[in-house]
Amino acid sequence: MTADDEPLKALLLPFDSGALPWPSQGAIAFLRARDGWPLRRRPLANLRCEQGFRPLADGLRQAGLEAQPELQGAGEAALVLVLPPRQREEAQALLARAVDLAAPGARVVAAAANDEGARSREKDLQQLAGVDGTLTKFHCRVFWTPPLAGPRDAELAARWRVADAPRLILGGRYTSRPGVFAWDRIDPASALLAAHLPADLRGRGADLGAGWGYLSDEVLGRAPAVQALDLYEAEARALELARGNLAAHATRVALGFHWHDVTAGLPADGYDFIVSNPPFHAHDRGDRPELGQRFIEVAAQALRPGGRLLMVANRHLPYEATLVQAFDATRVLAEGGGFKVIEATKGAQR
């Protein structure tokens, strides 16, 4: 739970100020939900949360709230709350789904930070279903529809529902979708790591922060002695894409797909090698180098004695001290484009 989640505070502002009533009955759907103290001040027995990012979903569940990667059903919610993402197509599709979830007479209420596209999202909702009110505070905007009876523009809603649908990218080599990291390209850090993957990787491996599966595909294409590979990814949308992108390898290699927060840890001594392009941003896009440091610590714990970590990182990130503390030997395999590829080996005595 973020201590000072300004978009969440803004989202609840219409109810705190008395501009809107909190429903006394009926389901309340919360898309891209996050836990936080502004939410706790409301009756939450009927709240149903959708959150595909595992750390935030875990936070909701730990607070005793129902949370799942995607809510099902349509036209059932007495209120729909939305914290739309920055990515345009994903946000528009989410707003269309929010309107679909609203029961007749229900409202959709959405909030976003000013520097995360708040005005654009308000214009989107205005175009889709109309806007009945707006408030600005906490460097954010919160805006809501009038009581709904479906979208005002059904054709637009239909287009937006599929705006972030999975699609072929890179000449048909992979399937991806807007909203996941580097959704329509191979990010240069991962490309640098892939170009320096040793061909002698073997046994059981893991990809920490696997995204839509590019690095794992490169591992399996370059290292024929790999027998099993587990993908760990916190974003459910990306993990489902990875499952499809690696389907061609499933007859040769034992594949595991885990919707998991790597920072929560992994079983010890389970892997012969690990590859990773660890994240260094939080869900609010703030720099979090401690995420990468934690990935290194978890990798060291999860590797068998003699196991290797192959990772890529921005050159400026402070990972060296963590690597020296967690591993017995480290070396830089390559540098380029502001990134560095590091190999770290776990000693037999750890």
Side-chain angles (χ1 to χ4, degrees):
M1 182 173 69
T2 304
D4 196 23
D5 190 330
E6 293 187 336
L8 182 61
K9 289 194 294 184
L11 183 67
L12 278 296
L13 186 60
F15 308 100
D16 294 338
S17 68
L20 292 177
W22 189 262
S24 58
Q25 58 185 2
I28 300 171
F30 188 0
L31 307 184
R32 280 300 187 99
R34 301 197 289 265
D35 184 29
W37 62 262
L39 191 64
R40 305 278 188 92
R41 298 192 297 184
R42 297 286 156 189
L44 301 179
N46 296 329
L47 188 68
R48 299 166 59 215
C49 298
E50 176 178 295
Q51 178 53 257
F53 186 55
R54 188 59 188 260
L56 296 179
D58 287 346
L60 290 162
R61 290 169 176 169
Q62 289 164 8
L65 300 172
E66 176 189 348
Q68 51 190 291
E70 184 171 338
L71 293 178
Q72 304 299 320
E76 301 173 354
L79 171 67
V80 184
L81 305 172
V82 191
L83 291 172
R86 182 186 183 95
Q87 208 285 330
R88 182 185 179 191
E89 290 87 353
E90 184 186 7
Q92 290 176 336
L94 194 68
L95 290 175
R97 286 192 54 237
V99 172
D100 288 342
L101 286 168
R107 299 177 189 264
V108 171
V109 182
N114 292 336
D115 60 359
E116 293 286 327
R119 285 187 178 275
S120 294
R121 299 294 78 79
E122 182 179 6
K123 290 177 181 178
D124 288 340
L125 190 59
Q126 170 68 46
Q127 189 178 6
L128 180 67
V131 167
D132 195 38
T134 302
L135 293 171
T136 60
K137 199 172 183 180
F138 312 121
H139 307 288
C140 299
R141 299 177 73 85
V142 55
F143 38 93
W144 57 91
T145 67
L148 293 175
R152 183 166 66 179
D153 187 333
E155 182 179 346
L156 179 67
R159 293 202 307 269
W160 282 5
R161 287 187 197 102
V162 297
D164 71 339
R167 66 199 71 178
L168 295 175
I169 63 168
L170 301 174
R173 181 180 176 187
Y174 298 108
T175 298
S176 188
R177 66 190 301 186
V180 301
F181 173 69
W183 80 268
D184 59 350
R185 66 194 185 281
I186 297 169
D187 77 279
S190 293
L192 184 65
L193 175 54
H196 293 87
L197 287 171
D200 65 347
L201 295 176
R202 63 180 61 249
R204 186 183 181 204
D207 184 350
L208 308 188
W212 48 261
Y214 167 71
L215 267 180
S216 289
D217 183 57
E218 289 287 342
V219 167
L220 296 174
R222 293 167 182 264
V226 174
Q227 298 173 330
L229 188 64
D230 287 332
L231 285 75
Y232 294 91
E233 171 55 43
E235 185 57 66
R237 290 160 57 92
L239 188 66
E240 191 59 31
L241 293 166
R243 190 185 301 273
N245 286 329
L246 296 186
H249 299 286
T251 57
R252 181 179 65 86
V253 180
L255 298 174
F257 299 90
H258 307 276
W259 184 43
H260 183 71
D261 175 10
V262 170
T263 66
L266 295 174
D269 301 331
Y271 294 107
D272 299 296
F273 69 90
I274 288 174
V275 298
S276 185
N277 179 3
F280 59 93
H281 291 298
H283 72 272
D284 59 2
R285 301 176 65 85
D287 284 349
R288 293 279 301 278
E290 66 270 22
L291 290 175
Q293 292 166 339
R294 178 59 180 156
F295 267 55
I296 293 168
E297 294 169 350
V298 169
Q301 295 162 4
L303 284 166
R304 294 170 179 153
R308 289 184 287 174
L309 167 66
L310 286 304
M311 67 171 288
V312 64
N314 290 53
R315 289 177 61 185
H316 73 276
L317 290 174
Y319 291 163
E320 277 74 14
T322 307
L323 284 161
V324 168
Q325 185 174 9
F327 288 90
D328 290 85
T330 65
R331 60 176 180 143
V332 175
L333 298 183
E335 294 187 66
F339 304 103
K340 54 191 173 186
V341 175
I342 300 168
E343 180 184 62
T345 304
K346 182 176 180 177
Q349 300 303 315
R350 285 182 181 254

